[in-house]
Amino acid sequence: MEPNNLCTVERRGRVHVITLTGAGEHRLGPALLGAIRSAVAASAGAGALVLAAEGKFFSNGFDQAWARTVPLHLQATMEDAFRALVADLLALPVPTVAAVTGHAAAAGCALALAHDAVFMRASRGFLYMSEADAGIKIIDFFAEIMREKVPDAVVRRDLLLRGDRMPAAEAVRRGMVDVAVEGGVDDVVNAAVGEAEKLAARGWDGDVVVEIRKAAWPKLWSKVKDYGGAGTPAVATPRL
């Protein structure tokens, strides 16, 4: 599948909605990460950004099947591309909302939490950091996302060292998700767009928003800033 078929960008008023397309697991390999980065870059002039996905999964993490077929030095490009995407989101001069429409595991969970707000489908899906179960060491900036976006130490322990799979209601109760949305995929996306519209209507100075993010999550920014952010080109063009 060509990178520009991996995600779409839809304009809904002042909001750009990026949708990961297809019924698959939306594994975050270099092609999909490049497509998302291009879509995020195209949203810099919008009022707000929403990231959603079709199918059962928001994202089931890194594309490990791809990684097993390439040399180690190429495997690192996947991690670097994700680090760059997190930098892009932190440096985007508009509010960002994740519409978690299905399961979000490992890198998919980290991607959701990298947004300013998280809306999640109440009836289906969970947040899950699978590294302990999979026997994979956690990447440094993943750990920083957890430290800075999940401030409660017990929740972090349960997520990282117990491998708890947290559905929306529990994730809201434990401070990881803002809203659990009843209904289907469209309901989650519509709720996220509604929130994004409210944030866009505030008319905030984009440069100020970016600097506040960097100040609020300084250690995370320090670990990703050399890989992406404003002025760093992405490698694919989304389908508009």
Side-chain angles (χ1 to χ4, degrees):
M1 184 178 292
E2 293 299 319
N4 63 352
N5 291 326
L6 297 174
C7 70
T8 61
V9 180
E10 176 189 2
R11 299 179 180 90
R12 296 196 190 182
R14 288 170 291 187
V15 178
H16 278 197
V17 181
I18 301 171
T19 303
L20 310 185
T21 56
E25 296 184 5
H26 308 301
R27 290 279 185 170
L28 297 170
L32 179 54
L33 288 164
I36 300 171
R37 290 195 67 204
S38 288
V40 169
S43 301
L49 168 72
V50 169
L51 178 64
E54 297 175 345
K56 179 180 177 181
F57 291 88
F58 176 76
S59 171
N60 205 22
F62 277 145
D63 190 346
Q64 301 294 351
W66 172 85
R68 287 192 290 270
T69 68
V70 299
L72 284 175
H73 73 280
L74 288 180
Q75 292 179 24
T77 64
M78 183 167 61
E79 177 184 326
D80 290 349
F82 187 79
R83 199 183 294 256
L85 174 56
V86 173
D88 292 346
L89 289 169
L90 293 177
L92 192 69
V94 302
T96 62
V97 182
V100 181
T101 47
H103 303 310
C109 179
L111 175 59
L113 295 178
H115 290 73
D116 299 332
V118 182
F119 279 47
M120 188 172 176
R121 187 176 177 182
S123 61
R124 185 171 193 174
F126 49 73
L127 301 181
Y128 171 47
M129 292 298 289
S130 59
E131 283 76 4
D133 289 334
I136 299 173
K137 294 179 181 178
I138 192 167
I139 301 170
D140 62 345
F141 73 98
F142 277 32
E144 206 58 62
I145 290 174
M146 296 301 130
R147 274 191 292 268
E148 297 196 350
K149 294 284 191 162
V150 185
D152 187 282
V154 174
V155 178
R156 285 201 307 274
R157 179 205 64 191
D158 291 349
L159 193 66
L160 296 173
L161 291 175
R162 290 168 52 98
D164 284 1
R165 302 184 182 205
M166 297 188 186
E170 182 179 359
V172 170
R173 179 177 63 82
R174 305 190 76 175
M176 298 174 61
V177 167
D178 295 279
V179 179
V181 181
E182 298 292 342
V185 169
D186 289 344
D187 297 295
V188 181
V189 175
N190 289 338
V193 170
E195 176 69 9
E197 281 282 10
K198 291 177 184 177
L199 295 173
R202 302 291 293 272
W204 291 324
D205 183 307
D207 291 338
V208 171
V209 169
V210 171
E211 291 308 313
I212 288 173
R213 284 199 198 102
K214 293 176 183 178
W217 303 297
K219 291 183 179 179
L220 175 59
W221 176 245
S222 72
K223 291 183 180 297
V224 301
K225 64 184 178 67
D226 293 333
Y227 293 80
T232 304
V235 296
T237 301
R239 175 162 48 89
L240 291 171

